[in-house]
Amino acid sequence: VLGGVTVLVVGQIVTKFVIEPIYEQRKTVGAVADALIYYAHHFADSFDRPFSEVKDASDKFRRLAAELMARTVAIPGYRAWGALRLIRPYKEIVRARGCLFGLSNYLHRADFERKMQLARDAAQALNVVAVDTGLLEAPNGDDRGAQG
């Protein structure tokens, strides 16, 4: 009986302090993937926009960067888990955070190449394979549409 109680208690501790925080972080990574896809039309702009036009997207990327770090530091022993490759390495999470902050700051600017690179780097750092790499590629200069 004592062994069963011990297993239950240890299982609950592992669930509450390790598994649930990792799950919450994965949900945030999913939200990042969603935002990268949903706001991709802002990346390809080759003209300056008023900040008010991209404010929602900019706020979303900034919020996700902060949330990603908050979820990451809530995982006990994160660096050890990351070093074992059981979860994304800490330096990759920090890299993704920087890219998301960069996207937040660049969305209203005409520098589409920089925005596309930041989006690709964020997706790569988080190993978000659901984001189609073609979506985050610079437009092909030779593809000018159907010419008859």
Side-chain angles (χ1 to χ4, degrees):
V1 174
L2 186 58
V5 171
T6 303
V7 168
L8 176 66
V9 169
V10 170
Q12 288 298 313
I13 290 171
V14 169
T15 298
K16 282 288 185 200
F17 293 107
V18 178
I19 295 173
E20 285 182 15
I22 290 173
Y23 175 70
E24 290 299 319
Q25 184 201 42
R26 290 302 305 159
K27 286 186 356 186
T28 302
V29 169
V32 169
D34 177 65
L36 288 172
I37 294 167
Y38 186 78
Y39 294 114
H41 61 285
H42 290 306
F43 306 156
D45 293 341
S46 57
F47 57 91
D48 285 337
R49 290 181 172 267
F51 184 73
S52 59
E53 287 184 26
V54 295
K55 184 178 184 329
D56 289 342
S58 180
D59 288 347
K60 180 73 169 182
F61 285 122
R62 186 165 294 280
R63 166 70 11 228
L64 286 170
E67 189 176 319
L68 182 64
M69 286 310 298
R71 304 270 190 222
T72 298
V73 299
I75 300 170
Y78 189 90
R79 290 178 195 251
W81 296 111
L84 294 172
R85 296 287 198 189
L86 298 173
I87 52 180
R88 296 300 298 158
Y90 185 78
K91 70 178 186 174
E92 293 298 314
I93 298 297
V94 171
R95 184 173 143 226
R97 177 196 63 189
C99 292
L100 294 171
F101 278 137
L103 273 175
S104 176
N105 295 335
Y106 270 86
L107 279 181
H108 69 287
R109 297 187 183 151
D111 191 353
F112 79 91
E113 290 173 346
R114 178 75 174 136
K115 291 184 283 187
M116 297 286 249
Q117 187 62 50
L118 287 166
R120 275 193 304 270
D121 288 351
Q124 180 186 31
L126 296 174
N127 198 28
V128 177
V129 295
V131 175
D132 179 15
T133 56
L135 178 68
L136 301 177
E137 291 295 326
N140 185 350
D142 296 333
D143 186 13
R144 297 189 181 134
Q147 295 179 357

